[in-house]
Amino acid sequence: MGERREIQLTVNGEAVSREVEVRWTLVDFLRHELMLTGTHVGCEHGVCGACTVLLDGRSARSCLTLAVQADGCDVTTIEGLSPKEGLSPLQQAFADHHGLQCGYCTPGVLCTLTEFLETNADPSEEEIRIALSGNLCRCTGYQGMVDAALAYVAARKSQLA
Amino acid sequence: MSWVGSSVPRVEDPALLSGRGKFIDDFHLPDMLHAAVVRSPYAHAKVGKIDCAEALAMPGVHAVLTQDDLPQPFRDQRLLLLVPNPAIRHPITYFALAKDEVCFAGEAVAFVVADDRYIAEDAAERVIVDYEPLPVSADCKAALEPGAATAHADRDDNIAADFPMTYGDVEDAFAGAAHVVKESFFTHRGGGHAMECRGVVAADDPVTDSMTLWSNTQAPHMLRNVYARMMGVSETQIRVIAPPDVGGGFGPKGMYYQEQFCAAAAARQLGRPVKWTEDRRENFIATYQERDQYWDMEVAVDGDGKLRGIRGRLIHDSGAYLPWGIITPFISSTTIPGPYVLPAYHINLVAVFTNKVATTPVRGAGRPQAAFVMERLMDRVAQELGIDPAEVRRRNFIQPEQMPYPVGLVFRDGSPVVYDSGDYPVCQAKSLALANYESFRERQAAARKDGRYIGIGLGSYVEGTGLGPFEGVNVKVEMSGKVAVQTGAAPQGQGHQTMLAQIVADRLSVKPEDVSVTPGDTAGVGIGIGTFASRITANAGPSAQMAANTVREKLVKAAAHLLEAAEEDLDLADGKVFVKGVPDHGKSFAEIATFTNGMPGFALPGGVIPGLEETSYFTPERSTYANGAHVAEVEVDIETGDVKILRYTTAHDCGSMINPKMVEGQVMGGIAHGVGNALYEWMHYDEDAQPQTVNFGEYLVPMATDVPRAQQVHMETPTPLNPLGVKGAGEGGTIPALAAIAGAIEDALAPFGVRVTQCPVTPPYLLSLLDAARKEAKS
Amino acid sequence: MKPAPFSYHRPESVDDALAMLANLEDAKILAGGQSLMAMMNFRYLAPEHIIDINRIPELTEIREEGDGIRFGAMVRQRDALDSPMVQARCPLLIEALENVGHIQTRNRGTVGGSLSHLDPSAEMPAVFSALDATLHVGSARGTRDIPIADWSLGYMMPNLEPDELLVGITAPCWPKDHGYAFLEMARRHGDFAMAGAGALMTLNSDGTIARVAVALTGVDTGPVRLHDAEIALIGQLPSEAVFAAAAKSAETVAGIDDVHASAAYRQRLAVVYARRALIKAHDRTLQGRA
């Protein structure tokens, strides 16, 4: 057994205290220790974006972050972005615009967009595509998820107006 | 109203969107152990002694299986060849673990089982294997040269299969031709690269002497049948279940793999569940791909550009083994005639062994290469005759009144290739209109004035889809009144659950969300084939309709008894059967189901059939042919060879659509895969057959910034071959994309006379073509 | 793809980190982790010790220093992008950073990590080369200031002893009205460049070139300054022909080979991108004046 360490962090708003092996990646810790299996492993080398979570509010590859590095941090996963009942407006936009097929990349995509759309009030299609360029999807050709993001932005703007 | 034909929300989505999907690696069984695989670093080597002592001594390691440790018959027998063909000279497949010889870098040699994956990988590093490297067959063309190294040590050559395919009088076609155009092509495809890698969880139950394999396979019944046949056990002793969610398939998950059998063997030996999850590096080297093809082709035409005949040779890279026989090159060669009247055709097909991972179908299954070749040839004819490329195609299209159209070819099941329906000229016209094809030359001239090189390219195709023999569906009204549907083939994101729910909901007059669909369980439906070849909607769809119709009849029959009414006076709505016009006088599905399930010791009244359940197997007579036309507009940077897709339009006809939005999604996803094949994806191997692109930084899957927005127009020409009129839609987006994009690049560079003859079209390749063209212009 | 076992250390000050580096055998610094962790997951690297410098506040500062900006080595690429000071005074870095990976990798990846990893196709080394930056390196033995020109010693070999740590970078800023451009060719957005060029320029009042810097990435093993081109350009009246002639010198830069691009192809791209970067930087000097 490898070196272990106690970590304390907040995951989806709840305080968590666990002993972890120091070599565990954050995504393995989330999936196999906390059983938060909504975050997926796609490549384990930081390109595909399937494992994207929010680390202190910023999107990050949880395959390139050690669990022990999340000590003291605030982690949000797809489970934390999901309402108890029904879907969030962004999730609903994905359902409405066929923004997913197999759904494997979807949690990472939603984490990326959550951060991006919080900091960008009115992004263009090109800006959305650039924001999504760190999330590979093999099913959709991206068009559905781009349309979903555009529709979400339009709805948010009309609500604010 | 009808649910079929409308874009109802997908029943799959809510769970997937909120992280409640259930994928194979999400399974955590009590006492489960984790496996890692020791793989050959050599493309070809003799395997000597395997020393597992150090690995086995590590804390947390439970077993290291090698060939010798596997149960019979895996020690002596290779895994079954699934689709035998008399043309195959050397029907060689994998062993469950390499025996004496490894034939590609990545072949599984030992299977390590430990407390967790980390420890399993630590131990895998400590398994010491003696390899004696052997000469390597690295390229399928070079592998045919006399004296070439052989991919298998016991063979004299590398020919896996060698046979002609022919119809019409090709000699005559060429003898009388006004023009003959020749060209050689190289096409490369790469892989499926589903975002979820492969995985398996095996659990043995010694009490019932049965094995359960959860695996994200496209074909659970195929895996069960291979296991049962090889192990000599009853099909009831092996249950294969695809998890509720599978993260993309695209073909490679359609076959069996070494690791599935290893996991089963380990679980049985250790008496604990064993999970193996493929990692991305393994996915790049050990998951089946679809790779290189060399084509030498010649086309004969009349003075007006009408096709007289095509002849040539196809060299296909089979990789090291033939788990799925030679179906990919077979499909490639039968795809060549496409939507055109081609009176004569002769092709010699050679499938070649190389020391690379096996090739099996990937989205498009040999057709993208063929469409690339055929459409390039049509462009050549247009260039030779000075006719517009769209016009050359128009002059050769099979006309709708010629349907059903026998092509002249015999498909691999021995039946003639007969196109069932479609209007190819109108399909092309729609795609051209959407692309503003008429005004393109003006746009192109204006761009060239600004020093910009833009071009337009066309790709038309015909795709055999929905091939049989069947895919069964079980429909049942449970005692709760809920409608449950089961089918054998597993989906990987296509939306099969929604599609089947729509069909069943219509027949039983309920809402799609009231129908729960469980695919991918061999215990759900007795026999099954699998999800591939764009076949599920055209096979399982009609089966679902048939089964639901029967269940509806049973509901009505039983309700008639309960309500003391005539069957023809009854109607269904909202989970009830009631007397027409008197909605209150009825029985709920739950009441009827409870009634037909009977009570112990009480006889069912005469005429009432037990249960509200039916399994149906629709058996299509033959494949149904979808078609489409793509138009790509690109800009080429002539200084760098960079290509940008400016616009992409497609007209697509997959017969009647169950859910138009899902069809659009399938087409769009297919286009993205085609964009990858056209411009980005290349699985490089070096001269020692060592894989060179083994991560997502080196193997380029297109990103959101690379895939263009595509405009789609749909045609719906129903097929007469199934009661729903549906054809497959899963692969059509990919098939003509290479052709359209390559054509557009060539058109953009027309001032230089560049000829694109290979895919993918990488910037260095394109620049080398430009250099050559400029040099030629100078001399 | 799980990392091999290691011991984990998390110093809270630079001095602690340097002491660990001095005392631990086979130790690797973990900065943003966007390259190191991938290599460890592949087990291309399996160090005995990981020294995680993510909790050292003094390494995360961006501050004005003289006529330049000093970046702590652990400044996240995202924070550099968001910094109004960097945006105003060092726009070349901003333009380059937009090509570095993706949102998620920039949120973790650091300026110093990129310089220390020294991928031949990375953008940061070329930017700091164009800026004539100085790298500040520390060890338990003391400190060294290293001009960026002396930073790359070969393929992925920064000028760092095993016990040394890059602690900061000082980049002199160019005058307010300077023109700049960072352009690169990557196969996909955010991929490492097959070739790229950063250019900086100021003009004299008569429109001739007063000062110019051009640096390349993705061609040779380290960043390359086109000094000959720069000397030739000074005093010239800008034109596309002048820039094209100057960019020609990129042809002779030694090129690296990989599966995606041959050395010859990279050299050709270098010429194209050096020229385009010069033209764009010049255009921006004019915008600044307008």
Side-chain angles (χ1 to χ4, degrees):
Chain A
M1 186 166 302
E3 180 179 314
R4 295 174 84 92
R5 227 181 223 241
E6 174 92 12
I7 61 169
Q8 291 177 342
L9 66 163
T10 307
V11 180
N12 297 329
E14 284 182 31
V16 171
S17 177
R18 288 292 165 106
E19 193 185 81
V20 299
E21 204 172 319
V22 296
R23 63 167 162 165
W24 287 351
T25 56
L26 177 58
V27 67
D28 281 344
F29 171 69
L30 292 169
R31 289 178 48 75
H32 303 310
E33 285 295 304
L34 303 186
M35 301 297 164
L36 293 170
T37 52
T39 304
H40 298 145
V41 170
C43 73
E44 292 179 291
H45 55 272
V47 184
C48 82
C51 69
T52 303
V53 299
L54 296 174
L55 190 59
D56 290 333
R58 287 180 171 189
S59 60
R61 310 289 205 212
S62 61
C63 73
L64 298 186
T65 308
L66 296 168
V68 69
Q69 289 187 283
D71 188 16
C73 294
D74 186 83
V75 177
T76 306
T77 67
I78 184 64
E79 288 89 348
L81 295 178
S82 304
K84 284 222 160 57
E85 298 281 323
L87 298 172
S88 73
L90 184 61
Q91 289 168 332
Q92 187 60 50
F94 266 65
D96 293 344
H97 293 271
H98 198 19
L100 68 156
Q101 288 180 26
C102 80
Y104 199 77
C105 72
T106 310
V109 168
L110 291 171
C111 284
T112 297
L113 282 177
T114 295
E115 184 204 12
F116 174 73
L117 296 172
E118 266 171 19
T119 45
N120 291 271
D122 191 14
S124 66
E125 171 163 353
E126 197 195 344
E127 287 165 336
I128 291 169
R129 284 185 181 268
I130 289 172
L132 286 173
S133 65
N135 291 85
L136 294 179
C137 167
R138 198 56 155 166
C139 294
T140 64
Y142 304 101
Q143 194 156 308
M145 58 178 84
V146 170
D147 288 344
L150 286 167
Y152 169 82
V153 168
R156 186 173 64 177
K157 260 170 43 187
S158 71
Q159 267 176 11
L160 290 173
Chain B
M1 70 159 280
S2 171
W3 298 110
V4 167
S6 77
S7 296
V8 305
R10 297 201 327 158
V11 298
E12 294 89 342
D13 285 353
L16 293 172
L17 281 163
S18 41
R20 287 183 283 110
K22 194 83 180 151
F23 295 88
I24 186 68
D25 192 53
D26 302 344
F27 284 57
H28 293 100
L29 302 187
D31 277 339
M32 190 168 74
L33 298 171
H34 299 260
V37 178
V38 178
R39 297 183 184 279
S40 169
Y42 293 98
H44 196 193
K46 285 265 165 235
V47 179
K49 186 170 166 277
I50 303 175
D51 181 354
C52 307
E54 194 187 337
L56 277 168
M58 292 175 69
V61 175
H62 293 260
V64 181
L65 301 187
T66 65
Q67 233 300 308
D68 293 340
D69 306 309
L70 293 173
Q72 284 294 18
F74 296 108
R75 287 202 298 278
D76 294 333
Q77 275 181 35
R78 293 177 182 273
L79 302 175
L80 292 178
L81 174 76
L82 274 197
V83 187
N85 186 309
I88 299 176
R89 289 200 204 168
H90 188 47
I92 189 169
T93 64
Y94 288 78
F95 277 107
L97 283 169
K99 184 184 168 91
D100 305 332
E101 184 181 1
V102 284
C103 294
F104 70 96
E107 185 163 0
V109 175
F111 195 76
V112 180
V113 185
D115 281 340
D116 69 34
R117 176 64 179 242
Y118 287 77
I119 297 168
E121 290 192 17
D122 296 343
E125 286 190 324
R126 286 166 181 76
V127 174
I128 300 154
V129 185
D130 283 343
Y131 294 104
E132 183 192 323
L134 293 168
V136 166
S137 163
D139 173 82
C140 63
K141 196 171 190 177
L144 290 175
E145 299 293 327
T150 57
H152 298 279
D154 62 345
R155 293 269 301 163
D156 297 330
D157 64 34
N158 289 306
I159 297 174
D162 185 358
F163 57 100
M165 209 174 284
T166 192
Y167 69 81
D169 188 340
V170 177
E171 292 306 317
D172 184 61
F174 277 81
H179 303 271
V180 171
V181 184
K182 257 187 184 177
E183 190 77 87
S184 293
F185 302 97
F186 170 72
T187 56
H188 173 88
R189 263 189 45 86
H193 302 289
M195 295 320 300
E196 180 202 40
C197 294
R198 295 180 290 125
V200 57
V201 175
D204 183 49
D205 181 355
V207 177
T208 57
D209 190 20
S210 64
M211 175 72 65
T212 304
L213 281 182
W214 289 269
S215 187
N216 51 7
T217 172
Q218 295 171 216
H221 286 85
M222 177 273 298
L223 184 56
R224 178 199 67 182
N225 296 348
V226 170
Y227 184 91
R229 278 170 65 190
M230 289 200 70
M231 291 291 287
V233 299
S234 157
E235 286 171 15
T236 58
Q237 287 171 284
I238 162 82
R239 179 179 178 189
V240 178
I241 309 171
D245 297 295
V246 175
F250 314 114
K253 284 179 185 163
M255 271 308 299
Y256 61 67
Y257 283 89
Q258 293 177 293
E259 299 87 353
Q260 289 160 328
F261 301 95
C262 293
R268 171 152 288 195
Q269 181 179 319
L270 296 167
R272 290 173 68 174
V274 172
K275 178 201 270 188
W276 171 75
T277 301
E278 183 187 49
D279 66 33
R280 189 55 66 178
R281 174 171 42 191
E282 296 178 292
N283 185 262
F284 272 105
I285 61 176
T287 288
Y288 308 146
Q289 303 163 358
E290 190 181 317
R291 243 176 358 251
D292 302 349
Q293 292 186 342
Y294 292 92
W295 301 72
D296 295 311
M297 302 296 276
E298 232 181 331
V299 55
V301 293
D302 283 334
D304 60 358
K306 278 217 162 143
L307 293 169
R308 293 176 58 87
I310 287 179
R311 64 186 173 196
R313 179 172 81 149
L314 163 60
I315 301 171
H316 171 87
D317 182 354
S318 291
Y321 300 109
L322 300 175
W324 212 325
I326 50 169
I327 67 170
T328 310
F330 204 104
I331 295 171
S332 293
S333 52
T334 52
T335 300
I336 283 289
Y340 308 113
V341 174
L342 177 64
Y345 176 49
H346 181 96
I347 190 161
N348 284 314
L349 196 157
V350 193
V352 181
F353 286 119
T354 57
N355 291 115
K356 302 179 190 171
V357 67
T359 64
T360 64
V362 174
R363 197 172 201 166
R367 296 179 188 89
Q369 298 96 312
F372 173 79
V373 167
M374 185 64 190
E375 293 297 278
R376 304 276 59 228
L377 289 175
M378 295 305 278
D379 285 345
R380 288 289 176 279
V381 171
Q383 289 153 2
E384 172 87 7
L385 274 68
I387 312 172
D388 182 273
E391 174 60 22
V392 165
R393 287 167 170 83
R394 262 195 296 275
R395 289 182 191 176
N396 285 288
F397 278 138
I398 297 159
Q399 299 300 309
E401 55 272 19
Q402 291 175 275
M403 296 291 172
Y405 181 83
V407 175
L409 286 165
V410 173
F411 204 58
R412 60 188 165 90
D413 63 356
S415 66
V417 174
V418 180
Y419 298 164
D420 49 302
S421 63
D423 189 335
Y424 307 153
V426 167
C427 189
Q428 187 209 41
K430 282 178 186 278
S431 72
L432 296 178
L434 196 60
N436 280 335
Y437 187 76
E438 287 307 316
S439 70
F440 179 74
R441 295 299 161 201
E442 285 165 41
R443 280 182 275 151
Q444 188 177 42
R448 280 190 193 153
K449 267 190 197 148
D450 296 339
R452 292 172 57 228
Y453 291 84
I454 66 171
I456 200 161
L458 310 177
S460 285
Y461 74 100
V462 174
E463 176 199 5
T465 70
L467 75 158
F470 56 79
E471 199 63 64
V473 173
N474 172 273
V475 176
K476 182 180 183 184
V477 177
E478 297 180 342
M479 288 212 276
S480 64
K482 293 206 166 90
V483 181
V485 174
Q486 297 192 85
T487 182
Q492 301 84 37
Q494 299 91 334
H496 292 170
Q497 291 97 317
T498 304
M499 177 270 291
L500 293 172
Q502 283 178 264
I503 293 167
V504 172
D506 267 357
R507 305 318 306 153
L508 300 182
S509 305
V510 296
K511 297 195 194 79
E513 59 263 36
D514 296 330
V515 180
S516 81
V517 182
T518 310
D521 184 349
T522 56
V525 175
I527 53 176
I529 304 298
T531 300
F532 41 79
S534 298
R535 62 186 298 278
I536 295 307
T537 305
N539 279 275
S543 295
Q545 189 180 38
M546 287 163 62
N549 278 338
T550 304
V551 170
R552 185 185 177 104
E553 284 165 21
K554 290 180 180 178
L555 274 164
V556 169
K557 206 176 267 291
H561 186 92
L562 285 171
L563 295 165
E564 294 177 354
E567 288 176 31
E568 54 274 20
D569 291 339
L570 297 180
D571 207 351
L572 273 72
D574 302 328
K576 271 168 66 179
V577 185
F578 57 93
V579 178
K580 279 177 193 164
V582 197
D584 287 346
H585 188 47
K587 290 283 177 189
S588 70
F589 282 10
E591 288 171 302
I592 302 167
T594 307
F595 168 63
T596 59
N597 268 273
M599 272 193 294
F602 291 75
L604 280 176
V608 174
I609 303 161
L612 298 171
E613 178 186 21
E614 184 70 17
T615 301
S616 296
Y617 293 93
F618 172 72
T619 53
E621 188 185 318
R622 51 195 161 85
S623 288
T624 170
Y625 286 80
N627 68 284
H630 288 207
V631 185
E633 206 177 306
V634 306
E635 177 168 353
V636 180
D637 183 333
I638 62 161
E639 287 190 305
T640 64
D642 200 18
V643 175
K644 189 173 166 54
I645 301 171
L646 302 175
R647 188 167 175 173
Y648 203 97
T649 49
T650 163
H652 183 262
D653 188 344
C654 60
S656 307
M657 293 190 284
I658 307 286
N659 186 317
K661 197 149 211 146
M662 293 195 332
V663 170
E664 251 166 54
Q666 287 299 303
V667 174
M668 188 62 231
I671 291 170
H673 211 136
V675 167
N677 294 148
L679 297 176
Y680 297 101
E681 297 181 38
W682 193 324
M683 186 65 207
H684 282 266
Y685 285 81
D686 69 9
E687 58 276 16
D688 298 319
Q690 283 293 330
Q692 302 295 298
T693 46
V694 294
N695 63 57
F696 275 140
E698 294 164 346
Y699 184 93
L700 309 177
V701 169
M703 295 170 170
T705 37
D706 306 311
V707 180
R709 175 169 285 278
Q711 286 175 285
Q712 294 185 33
V713 58
H714 296 289
M715 290 178 67
E716 292 189 80
T717 314
T719 175
L721 296 175
N722 66 59
L724 290 165
V726 295
K727 307 178 178 184
E731 300 171 88
T734 307
I735 293 166
L738 295 68
I741 293 167
I745 292 168
E746 197 169 283
D747 183 53
L749 300 178
F752 304 94
V754 159
R755 296 281 176 266
V756 175
T757 57
Q758 84 170 43
C759 257
V761 185
T762 64
Y765 165 66
L766 201 47
L767 218 49
S768 73
L769 291 182
L770 271 164
D771 286 349
R774 284 181 178 130
K775 209 181 246 174
E776 199 168 306
K778 256 186 202 164
S779 63
Chain C
M1 284 182 58
K2 310 295 180 192
F6 53 80
S7 282
Y8 176 79
H9 310 268
R10 193 161 68 201
E12 288 176 8
S13 70
V14 170
D15 287 343
D16 284 353
L18 297 179
M20 287 172 184
L21 267 177
N23 296 326
L24 299 171
E25 285 283 320
D26 189 21
K28 262 278 176 196
I29 294 289
L30 174 58
Q34 301 304 289
S35 300
L36 177 64
M37 279 308 305
M39 293 169 88
M40 287 173 58
N41 287 352
F42 274 113
R43 299 199 182 203
Y44 295 150
L45 287 176
E48 293 263 324
H49 299 278
I50 283 293
I51 303 173
D52 177 1
I53 57 169
N54 280 270
R55 302 288 171 101
I56 303 178
E58 60 197 288
L59 291 180
T60 61
E61 266 187 337
I62 306 176
R63 64 167 194 266
E64 214 156 355
E65 197 168 274
D67 61 352
I69 299 176
R70 183 182 160 116
F71 298 87
M74 284 299 288
V75 168
R76 309 260 179 217
Q77 292 157 5
R78 159 73 182 276
D79 289 321
L81 262 173
D82 285 354
S83 157
M85 192 203 316
V86 178
Q87 288 165 5
R89 304 204 47 204
C90 199
L92 180 69
L93 180 59
I94 301 291
E95 189 152 283
L97 277 170
E98 283 164 358
N99 292 295
V100 177
H102 310 280
I103 298 177
Q104 306 90 337
T105 62
R106 292 192 298 263
N107 279 342
R108 296 290 297 168
T110 63
V111 172
S114 175
L115 285 164
S116 302
H117 183 59
L118 205 56
D119 189 288
S121 292
E123 291 82 358
M124 291 299 92
V127 168
F128 286 109
S129 170
L131 290 165
D132 288 308
T134 301
L135 292 89
H136 311 293
V137 164
S139 72
R141 297 173 284 119
T143 60
R144 286 200 292 155
D145 284 348
I146 303 171
I148 183 81
D150 299 336
W151 182 241
S152 171
L153 302 180
Y155 179 74
M156 294 179 93
M157 263 175 58
N159 187 348
L160 272 178
E161 295 296 326
D163 66 341
E164 284 183 321
L165 173 70
L166 176 64
V167 293
I169 307 100
T170 306
C173 293
W174 281 48
K176 223 180 162 69
D177 60 353
H178 79 277
Y180 66 92
F182 192 95
L183 297 171
E184 69 173 39
M185 172 137 164
R187 287 307 314 277
R188 302 171 303 178
H189 185 86
D191 279 354
F192 280 118
M194 295 199 286
L200 294 161
M201 196 181 297
T202 59
L203 300 182
N204 295 312
S205 52
D206 64 356
T208 57
I209 297 169
R211 195 180 153 202
V212 63
V214 195
L216 302 174
T217 185
V219 190
D220 199 355
T221 50
V224 177
R225 273 288 285 274
L226 295 181
H227 289 293
D228 292 348
E230 293 167 9
I231 291 164
L233 283 169
I234 288 170
Q236 297 268 347
L237 207 54
S239 72
E240 293 213 3
V242 163
F243 291 137
K248 274 291 248 189
S249 69
E251 237 170 27
T252 54
V253 172
I256 49 170
D257 263 311
D258 70 12
V259 290
H260 291 301
S262 65
Y265 179 69
R266 287 172 193 277
Q267 287 160 336
R268 280 177 77 165
L269 283 187
V271 173
V272 172
Y273 277 87
R275 189 190 80 231
R276 290 180 182 179
L278 283 165
I279 292 170
K280 191 168 178 190
H282 174 248
D283 287 348
R284 282 182 167 143
T285 61
L286 302 179
Q287 281 162 22
R289 293 180 167 207

